[in-house]
Amino acid sequence: MAIDALLKDFNEIANNPKAQLASYKSQGYKAIGCMPYYAPEELVHAAGMVPFGLWGTNDKYISLSKEYCASFYCSLAQLDLEMLLDGTLDDLDGVITSVLCDTLRPMSQNIRVAMEKMGKMPVIFLAHPQNRAKEYGIRYSISQYKNVKEELEKIAGKEITDQALSETIKVYNRNRQARRKFVKLVGDHPEAVSAVDRGAVLKASYFMRKEDHTEMLEELNKELEALPESNWQGVRLVTSGIICDNPTLLSIFDKNDIAIVADDVANESRSFRVDAPEEGDPMEALARQFGAQDYDVLLYDEESHQNRRADYVVNLVKENKADGLVVFMMTFCDPEEMEYPYLNKALNDAGVRHVKIGVDMQMRDFGQLETALQALADEVKANKAIF
């Protein structure tokens, strides 16, 4: 299948998650909503159910969730609850809530109370350890995953066997590898995949069984690998933040000949950086995978005095020969706001051009954002013309 046809299919899935969910339900699958961050989707898959990513939405406003949420909760979390309340996600058979930030901790209980009050789906609570790489952290993760496993087994009506989980880990590792390869290929061939299409390919993975997504993505990767060497003359940027999946926002990149050649985005590359071990106890493998997650503003860093995450972002820009960085700052995201001064200093010290742009999933007018991106692009192009 040609590149354009594959990209069209990915866009259709990414832009119609409710239809995708209904399709799986019509095939007899049960589905479990997985809220950010690092939910053990493999357990859902091993139970024969479909993990369904809950990362807010770009086509709703916050209304019903105001009854449960403080106004300073980030829009991503509030819009997840909005969809659970207004019937958009009624096809789900349960939802997993994690608590890796100050908003998600109370939100997990808001969702539980709301679902109980309305007689809707069961809510599965998941608390990750911040000291995740130590042996006691690994043990704690395993205990939490066992709790999730038991709740999922009740919903599925079947046991999640070690064999099924081991096979699922292989399925997920293959998909993570395909997504990492895709990100690299887009960086090598920005002329072939627009920012909008890149976002759709990665977003679609949250609404598909990983086998289905991998099959399509490996075919796309094969087509991209066959392309001749790129002669891209536009601007090459790296993105960072929690989420930047709005097609209207991403179209601004395309209008200004800006390619996203790599990312440090939570619902993109951060989510598939690390594979799970394929040998040994599969539950421990999932715990060790989370223990190996690093360079994330939401995760505790024992060596934070060395500013390792900021160095990681700087190196990401340099390694991908990017012209700069765009930091998408989620409104009311305390971890990102507190980290930014350190990140800003590291970027300035390294001479990396960057711009910080505030985003909210209820935004419909991107005029200021477009101006900021145009200014950054013009600066890069002017500098290239001089040298």
Side-chain angles (χ1 to χ4, degrees):
M1 188 182 295
I3 291 175
D4 288 346
L6 286 164
L7 293 175
K8 181 180 178 182
D9 288 345
F10 277 119
N11 272 279
E12 180 65 25
I13 293 167
N15 295 326
N16 296 280
K18 187 173 181 179
Q20 186 72 4
L21 177 58
S23 175
Y24 281 128
K25 294 292 289 189
S26 70
Q27 297 172 50
Y29 287 103
K30 291 183 177 180
I32 303 295
C34 297
M35 287 189 66
Y37 303 86
Y38 302 116
E41 289 188 17
E42 289 89 339
L43 290 172
V44 179
H45 182 279
M49 299 185 289
V50 176
F52 204 77
L54 302 184
W55 287 81
T57 180
N58 296 308
D59 60 4
K60 288 182 181 291
Y61 287 105
I62 295 167
S63 176
L64 299 174
S65 62
K66 290 180 180 179
E67 179 182 347
Y68 297 88
C69 301
S71 60
F72 52 80
Y73 282 19
C74 76
S75 57
L76 187 160
Q78 291 200 62
L79 285 164
D80 273 354
L81 179 53
E82 188 74 21
M83 290 188 290
L84 289 166
L85 292 171
D86 73 5
T88 300
L89 298 173
D90 278 357
D91 276 342
L92 292 179
D93 297 279
V95 59
I96 299 173
T97 62
S98 69
V99 291
L100 276 172
C101 74
D102 287 343
T103 293
L104 291 179
R105 276 186 279 277
M107 178 59 80
S108 67
Q109 301 310 300
N110 293 343
I111 291 175
R112 178 184 62 80
V113 169
M115 295 300 97
E116 288 179 355
K117 180 179 177 181
M118 300 183 71
K120 290 194 175 185
M121 67 202 69
V123 177
I124 303 172
F125 178 84
L126 169 63
H128 290 99
Q130 282 291 359
N131 285 293
R132 59 200 177 280
K134 302 288 188 181
E135 281 306 308
Y136 55 80
I138 298 295
R139 297 301 129 196
Y140 183 84
S141 289
I142 291 173
S143 70
Q144 286 293 299
Y145 291 168
K146 285 182 176 179
N147 291 339
V148 173
K149 173 177 176 287
E150 290 173 2
E151 295 302 314
L152 290 172
E153 288 173 336
K154 293 176 185 177
I155 297 171
K158 61 183 287 189
E159 179 187 1
I160 300 172
T161 66
D162 285 352
Q163 180 179 353
L165 186 53
S166 294
E167 291 302 314
T168 286
I169 286 173
K170 294 175 183 178
V171 168
Y172 268 70
N173 281 346
R174 182 175 175 182
N175 183 259
R176 282 186 280 262
Q177 290 157 14
R179 283 185 281 174
R180 292 196 295 267
K181 186 173 185 178
F182 170 74
V183 168
K184 177 66 169 61
L185 286 168
V186 172
D188 293 338
H189 297 283
E191 78 290 345
V193 181
S194 68
V196 171
D197 289 335
R198 178 187 184 278
V201 171
L202 297 176
K203 184 176 182 178
S205 68
Y206 287 101
F207 310 135
M208 302 176 69
R209 295 178 72 245
K210 290 301 182 285
E211 299 94 329
D212 301 335
H213 188 261
T214 301
E215 181 179 357
M216 287 177 61
L217 187 53
E218 287 182 342
E219 186 174 354
L220 176 58
N221 286 344
K222 184 177 179 180
E223 294 288 340
L224 292 173
E225 282 183 301
L227 293 174
E229 185 176 351
S230 174
N231 188 33
W232 175 257
Q233 298 299 311
V235 178
R236 297 169 56 87
L237 295 181
V238 172
T239 53
S240 181
I242 299 296
I243 190 168
C244 53
D245 70 345
N246 189 311
T248 303
L249 183 159
L250 292 171
S251 69
I252 297 171
F253 284 78
D254 297 327
K255 286 191 294 183
N256 290 278
D257 295 323
I258 301 172
I260 299 174
V261 297
D263 75 86
D264 167 53
V265 174
N267 86 320
E268 293 183 359
S269 289
R270 283 189 213 167
S271 69
F272 50 82
R273 277 181 191 159
V274 181
D275 290 338
E278 295 185 2
E279 305 297 329
D281 177 71
M283 194 71 78
E284 181 175 334
L286 293 183
R288 293 199 177 278
Q289 178 203 21
F290 177 66
Q293 295 285 355
D294 212 344
Y295 311 117
D296 189 326
V297 66
L298 296 166
L299 299 178
Y300 173 66
D301 186 351
E302 290 185 344
E303 302 177 62
S304 58
H305 61 282
Q306 298 181 21
N307 209 10
R308 296 168 64 247
R309 209 193 89 77
D311 292 339
Y312 172 85
V313 175
V314 168
N315 290 335
L316 192 64
V317 174
K318 293 182 176 180
E319 290 169 1
N320 288 279
K321 298 180 174 59
D323 299 305
L325 173 77
V326 178
V327 179
F328 288 107
M329 184 75 68
M330 177 70 74
T331 304
F332 297 127
C333 182
D334 290 345
E336 288 195 319
E337 291 172 354
M338 289 187 288
E339 181 216 29
Y340 182 70
Y342 297 95
L343 179 59
N344 180 57
K345 183 179 185 302
L347 293 167
N348 288 334
D349 290 348
V352 175
R353 292 185 191 85
H354 63 284
V355 59
K356 176 173 72 73
I357 298 173
V359 293
D360 184 292
M361 298 194 80
Q362 295 184 102
M363 288 176 64
R364 300 295 183 267
D365 183 349
F366 295 95
Q368 289 185 328
L369 185 150
E370 183 163 11
T371 299
L373 286 176
Q374 285 176 341
L376 179 59
D378 289 345
E379 180 186 347
V380 169
K381 292 173 183 177
N383 187 69
K384 287 183 176 179
I386 292 173
F387 293 99

